[in-house]
Amino acid sequence: MNNFLDIAIEQSELSIAKGGGPFGAVIIRNNEIIAVAHNTVTIDNDPTAHAEINAIRIASQKLNTFDLHDCEIYSSCEPCPMCLSAIYWAKIPVVYFANTKNDAAYIGFSDNFIYEELNLPPEKRKLKMVKLNEPKALEVFQMWQKSPNQTKY
């Protein structure tokens, strides 16, 4: 077994012991551990506190950057849609994982409804989404386009 994956799995066990979900993650750069984290959703009462999100937050703070293109992430489970999106936003190019999303669904962590919802137009989703017309919002986007201080991400 891979040492980094072993650590992610150990984190998932630690999470269970602390009352969290069975998920752990490790972010490495140049074969060095940058961040180690586990799921703290129920511990922190934060629905976004998945292991991968927590690890990305730690790594970004430690490296003082939002761009983790030179890192890799090891996860005890295939990332959910939120974590997968965060991994893309962080520009992490490789994800190694153990359990699959089907394994997670088997124990009650199914994300299939999210994948299905994302394929629907906003007006057909179960989550009510209402487009409001507010010209000021577009003005802010235009301000961003013209700003010399923008940092692309």
Side-chain angles (χ1 to χ4, degrees), residues 1-86:
M1 204 182 244
N2 180 289
N3 185 45
F4 298 126
L5 187 57
D6 289 342
I7 295 168
I9 293 168
E10 288 169 6
Q11 284 295 304
S12 66
E13 290 177 307
L14 176 63
S15 183
I16 293 169
K18 291 183 172 186
F23 305 99
V26 176
I27 294 178
I28 65 156
R29 183 174 72 172
N30 298 327
N31 242 8
E32 176 188 338
I33 294 174
I34 303 300
V36 176
H38 59 82
N39 179 291
T40 59
V41 169
T42 57
I43 297 164
D44 296 338
N45 292 315
D46 179 351
T48 69
H50 291 200
E52 297 90 342
I53 300 289
N54 288 342
I56 288 169
R57 289 173 177 157
I58 293 166
S60 295
Q61 290 296 311
K62 184 174 182 180
L63 298 175
N64 196 33
T65 182
F66 54 82
D67 183 345
L68 303 177
H69 74 276
D70 54 353
C71 295
E72 297 174 340
I73 188 166
Y74 288 78
S75 179
S76 63
C77 187
E78 183 176 358
C80 75
M82 177 183 67
C83 293
L84 187 58
S85 296

Side-chain angles (χ1 to χ4, degrees), residues 81-135:
M82 177 183 67
C83 293
L84 187 58
S85 296
I87 290 165
Y88 275 109
W89 278 111
K91 297 180 176 63
I92 298 172
V94 181
V95 178
Y96 299 97
F97 63 94
N99 294 322
T100 67
K101 65 182 180 180
N102 293 331
D103 296 329
Y106 184 76
I107 63 165
F109 292 93
S110 177
D111 297 316
N112 286 340
F113 76 96
I114 297 173
Y115 287 112
E116 292 167 4
E117 287 281 298
L118 290 174
N119 286 323
L120 297 174
E123 65 275 5
K124 296 203 178 197
R125 294 179 185 158
K126 288 183 175 79
L127 175 65
K128 185 176 180 178
M129 298 185 69
V130 181
K131 165 73 172 92
L132 301 176
N133 292 319
E134 179 50 59

